[in-house]
Amino acid sequence: MSRKMSNQEIARLLKGMAAAYQIKSDQQFRVKAYEEAAVSVEHATSSVKDLWDDGKLETLSGVGKSIASYLDELFRTGKVKHFEKVMGEFPPAMFEYLKIPGVGAKTAYKLTKELKITSSKGAINRLKKAAKVGAISQIKGFAEESEKAILEGLGEIGKRGKEGQRMNLPFAGELAKEMINYMKQCPHVKRIDPLGSMRRRVATVGDLDFGVATKKSKEVIEHFCRYPKIKEVAAAGGNTARIVTRDNRQIDLKTMSPNAYGALLQHYTGSKQHNIHLREIAQKKGLSLSEYGIKMGKKSVKKYDTEEKFYQELGMDWIPPELREDTGEIEAAQEHQLPKLVKFKEIKGDFHIHSNYPIEPSHDLGTASIKEIVTKARKMGYQYVGIAEHNPSISQHSDKQIIAILKRKKDVVEQFKSSNKKLVRSTYLFNGLEIDIRPDGSLAIPEEGFDYLDFAVVSIHSSFRQPRPKATKRVLSGLNHPKARILGHPTGRMIYQREGMEFDWDQIFDFCQKNNKWLEISAWPTRLDLPDHLVREAVKSGVKMVVNSDAHQLEEMDLMEYGVSVARRGWAQKKDIINTLSYNQIKKLLC
DNA sequence: GCCGTTTTCGGCCCGACTGTTTTCAGTCG
């Protein structure tokens, strides 16, 4: 098929199969298998099509021989005969209704039958009309509340973007900080943590959830419900509450007494796959896990104030939330072999910051001066900082002009260094450039221009749709120059806007590893690129990476922490990240 | 349909919430 099918669409297809089987048969475990495969596809950090290209479909948990072969058929022919046969027994409208929050297989099927709607075309609108005239509440098993819920659910579909309304990690992270600061004003909040994908630092976060350790749940919930940015309190009970903010973000809060907080934190941090695996292990030991603690046989639930003790009870080390995806971390924790993940405070510099130096680029210029950048870097405790503006535009300048601009910039940097000796002694300034790798693999400045640079970040900013062999060759060619040390935002993905490029990663990893080239982990909110799963592959291949902010404004230098989160999710340790090296070490590598 | 240092057969996570119900079904995370 010509169009690349998104993970979201594939997940929907698998969910449809689960729903069909749910109605059709009592094979509840086959239903569960399809549902799990759907979730796995939905949460996959790489495109399933890419995995298929690489023959790695079965690395997705929950995708075995059968589903892999169906997906193979899907990618080869654009359809799956078996799926069409199974789902063909049901009105197509039913699969549309599955999109409605709160509507599952049974409800969706019942609606199509009772309302006699079959075609998927206009199914949503017809349902909306039925709800408005009160036809749904007339159906047995439904009443006013259900009808209202369906109407509200239908409204949700319209509001959501095509990929669902998830936020990128830095966006969600900043919202979470605001909430945490607000909640800490309440003296009864002993401890507060984000939960779920936010705590695991996934690149995209859905709703925000928080856990609070407190002995005074009522007061904490009340304080939560007085959050200044609130639009409405959607629900509030003894230990949980849900608010909706003015920008329509749903935020949940769950409280627990401090002596049982560890289990709550563990349970709601997930991931679901991680927890299921844990419970299976627990079950074999005769234990049962829940958000309240651990039940041993018929005895009462044992409580845990910390997660550490909870994991210890199961015979394993505490697992950093970033690793809790059931991709081997549980086994590693049992063997006491978990990696010592890189930390934000170990970062000693940032190599990708756009200053406002008038370099006349074709892409956007930064807004902060060189002095502001170095001063900020020093405040952040960095030992060094690299400025890397986009190269001067090639369409607007001759080679000669580009060389002149780069020479002048070097002069300005040298002048800055000599007139700010004290500052530069504590935080050294490297003079770099972010250079386009053009579609043919050449770099967008003339050879002589490199004489005026300490290093170059080379990146792709155009022609993202090249076939894999050509794209791979392009990157290797771009990295080939001795001054080209960093491959900027390697896949070029833009979260929710553009899929990453397809490369032969083994070739790229191999080249980087042998030639001392570094892959960037960009902390730029819509990039977070390399993505975490590729970070992990790179770590396995012994490739070094560098976490950069790609800041265009001064404050954006603070986004570095989110890049570190991506590195951590990719199991990266200090030794894998080049900008954890001291200035003296890095100087030797660059000069 | 998936999965495996108790298994290639025989298991498959746990609980809350909601709405509709007199004891539960469906959905969600």
Side-chain angles (χ1 to χ4, degrees):
Chain A
M1 60 197 287
S2 55
R3 199 175 51 89
K4 185 167 170 180
M5 227 177 153
S6 76
N7 287 5
Q8 203 77 21
E9 289 168 299
I10 295 165
R12 266 202 66 211
L13 205 52
L14 294 168
K15 280 183 192 169
M17 280 297 285
Y21 272 123
Q22 200 173 336
I23 309 287
K24 191 176 147 67
S25 68
D26 56 354
Q27 302 176 61
Q28 49 163 324
F29 294 115
R30 178 171 289 177
V31 172
K32 195 179 135 217
Y34 271 104
E35 272 169 356
E36 281 177 0
V39 168
S40 184
V41 165
E42 205 167 30
H43 290 178
T45 42
S46 53
S47 113
V48 174
K49 168 79 163 36
D50 288 354
L51 290 175
W52 174 73
D53 281 333
D54 296 338
K56 288 181 181 166
L57 274 183
E58 288 186 51
T59 60
L60 285 168
S61 70
V63 174
K65 271 213 166 71
S66 294
I67 293 182
S69 79
Y70 293 141
L71 293 183
D72 178 63
E73 185 185 338
L74 179 69
F75 290 126
R76 277 186 299 106
T77 69
K79 58 183 183 180
V80 184
K81 287 206 180 99
H82 175 62
F83 287 5
E84 286 181 354
K85 181 165 170 279
V86 173
M87 295 199 276
E89 295 175 31
F90 298 92
M94 170 178 142
F95 302 101
E96 292 299 309
Y97 295 160
L98 290 176
K99 290 183 194 165
I100 306 166
V103 173
K106 301 269 172 88
T107 310
Y109 183 57
K110 209 164 165 187
L111 286 171
T112 60
K113 276 202 92 175
E114 296 290 337
L115 297 170
K116 298 192 170 49
I117 299 172
T118 51
S119 165
S120 62
K121 212 173 161 200
I124 294 285
N125 276 332
R126 289 185 65 186
L127 186 65
K128 215 176 267 180
K129 272 186 202 151
K132 279 184 185 155
V133 300
I136 291 176
S137 55
Q138 301 303 313
I139 304 172
K140 189 164 184 292
F142 291 81
E144 269 99 51
E145 286 299 320
S146 310
E147 189 167 68
K148 223 173 87 191
I150 287 173
L151 260 179
E152 275 170 17
L154 283 165
E156 279 298 305
I157 299 183
K159 253 187 264 164
R160 288 185 192 191
K162 50 181 193 291
E163 295 282 342
Q165 205 178 16
R166 292 178 76 85
M167 304 168 258
N168 61 55
L169 173 70
F171 186 90
E174 297 306 303
L175 278 184
K177 278 183 197 164
E178 267 183 51
M179 176 57 83
I180 287 171
N181 286 337
Y182 168 74
M183 287 305 294
K184 280 186 173 164
Q185 293 168 12
C186 174
H188 301 297
V189 172
K190 296 297 166 215
R191 183 173 164 177
I192 174 162
D193 297 90
L195 304 170
S197 50
M198 179 66 237
R199 183 153 182 257
R200 299 200 311 281
R201 314 285 284 185
V202 183
T204 64
V205 176
D207 295 322
L208 286 179
D209 295 296
F210 295 91
V212 169
T214 182
K215 287 183 176 164
K216 302 263 186 188
S217 181
K218 189 164 164 268
E219 285 84 345
V220 169
I221 299 263
E222 279 169 10
H223 182 73
F224 178 62
C225 292
R226 286 195 301 267
Y227 186 56
K229 292 187 172 178
I230 203 167
K231 185 169 90 181
E232 58 173 338
V233 177
N239 297 304
T240 64
R242 165 173 297 172
I243 61 170
V244 180
T245 62
R246 283 198 297 265
D247 47 0
N248 282 319
R249 299 261 163 228
Q250 182 177 300
I251 305 181
D252 286 7
L253 186 92
K254 303 171 203 303
T255 63
M256 185 65 85
S257 69
N259 66 344
Y261 185 64
L264 175 107
L265 194 52
Q266 196 291 318
H267 179 85
Y268 286 109
T269 297
S271 68
K272 193 172 174 178
Q273 295 307 320
H274 175 89
N275 283 358
I276 288 174
H277 191 166
L278 276 189
R279 288 191 197 115
E280 280 167 3
I281 289 171
Q283 206 177 36
K284 282 169 192 156
K285 300 185 179 190
L287 308 175
S288 171
L289 312 181
S290 76
E291 62 265 52
Y292 301 106
I294 302 182
K295 203 154 69 180
M296 294 145 188
K298 304 245 167 185
K299 281 190 265 178
S300 62
V301 176
K302 188 171 168 188
K303 296 173 177 173
Y304 301 85
D305 58 342
T306 67
E307 276 188 327
E308 282 80 355
K309 291 178 189 162
F310 186 96
Y311 279 102
Q312 204 174 22
E313 187 81 74
L314 298 173
M316 54 188 86
D317 293 339
W318 178 81
I319 301 173
E322 292 94 330
L323 300 187
R324 299 185 195 170
E325 301 292 346
D326 195 23
T327 54
E329 76 282 4
I330 291 176
E331 292 78 1
Q334 288 174 319
E335 293 156 16
H336 310 294
Q337 298 287 335
L338 282 167
K340 218 176 150 198
L341 301 179
V342 62
K343 297 188 185 77
F344 175 50
K345 64 171 194 229
E346 290 169 340
I347 297 291
K348 298 199 174 69
D350 185 342
F351 277 109
H352 192 165
I353 297 170
H354 294 258
S355 81
N356 65 2
Y357 182 83
I359 199 163
E360 300 168 45
S362 51
H363 310 293
D364 41 353
L365 198 64
T367 60
S369 70
I370 292 175
K371 183 160 189 177
E372 286 171 324
I373 290 168
V374 181
T375 308
K376 166 88 180 166
R378 179 164 135 189
K379 239 183 242 162
M380 291 177 76
Y382 289 168
Q383 295 182 10
Y384 47 89
V385 63
I387 50 170
E389 301 78 16
H390 289 290
N391 55 266
S393 77
I394 45 176
S395 55
Q396 308 291 321
H397 302 92
S398 66
D399 277 5
K400 230 177 170 177
Q401 288 171 317
I402 292 176
I403 292 163
I405 291 172
L406 294 177
K407 182 173 186 307
R408 200 165 1 151
K409 186 185 150 200
K410 182 181 163 74
D411 290 343
V412 167
V413 168
E414 290 306 324
Q415 213 172 2
F416 171 82
K417 286 201 280 198
S418 60
S419 54
N420 292 276
K421 279 194 179 127
K422 204 175 148 200
L423 178 61
V424 176
R425 213 176 299 130
S426 65
T427 302
Y428 188 81
L429 172 63
F430 288 109
N431 178 34
L433 194 70
E434 179 179 15
I435 307 175
D436 288 340
I437 307 177
R438 300 162 71 192
D440 65 358
S442 63
L443 295 176
I445 67 169
E447 179 57 36
E448 197 189 328
F450 286 97
D451 295 346
Y452 305 109
L453 301 176
D454 294 330
F455 71 98
V457 179
V458 295
S459 321
I460 290 180
H461 292 105
S462 66
S463 300
F464 299 99
R465 293 179 169 277
Q466 289 175 323
R468 176 141 76 161
K470 196 172 175 193
T472 304
K473 227 175 128 191
R474 177 183 184 185
V475 163
L476 295 182
S477 158
L479 274 174
N480 200 38
H481 195 284
K483 282 267 166 81
R485 305 307 299 271
I486 298 171
L487 178 62
H489 42 75
T491 77
R493 77 153 172 191
M494 294 292 267
I495 293 173
Y496 297 143
Q497 296 165 42
R498 183 173 72 214
E499 302 260 2
M501 291 180 73
E502 298 180 26
F503 300 114
D504 182 334
W505 287 106
D506 288 337
Q507 268 194 57
I508 293 181
F509 289 161
D510 189 55
F511 183 87
C512 290
Q513 202 259 333
K514 286 190 177 131
N515 297 285
N516 200 16
K517 308 288 184 183
W518 313 323
L519 295 176
E520 180 177 75
I521 298 175
S522 172
W524 188 255
T526 51
R527 292 191 184 275
L528 301 176
D529 179 14
L530 279 186
D532 47 17
H533 68 283
L534 284 169
V535 172
R536 192 162 177 198
E537 295 296 317
V539 166
K540 282 184 195 160
S541 304
V543 174
K544 304 291 181 205
M545 285 159 280
V546 50
V547 187
N548 286 330
S549 70
D550 200 354
H552 288 62
Q553 299 182 44
L554 208 56
E555 313 81 65
E556 288 168 355
M557 288 172 68
D558 289 319
L559 297 177
M560 177 65 85
E561 63 163 299
Y562 298 103
V564 175
S565 294
V566 175
R568 288 169 63 85
R569 283 183 58 80
W571 294 54
Q573 309 189 44
K574 185 168 185 263
K575 66 176 173 55
D576 302 308
I577 304 299
I578 214 80
N579 51 330
T580 58
L581 294 177
S582 69
Y583 165 64
N584 284 328
Q585 291 168 312
I586 211 91
K587 196 175 102 185
K588 276 183 216 150
L589 288 174
L590 278 182
C591 304

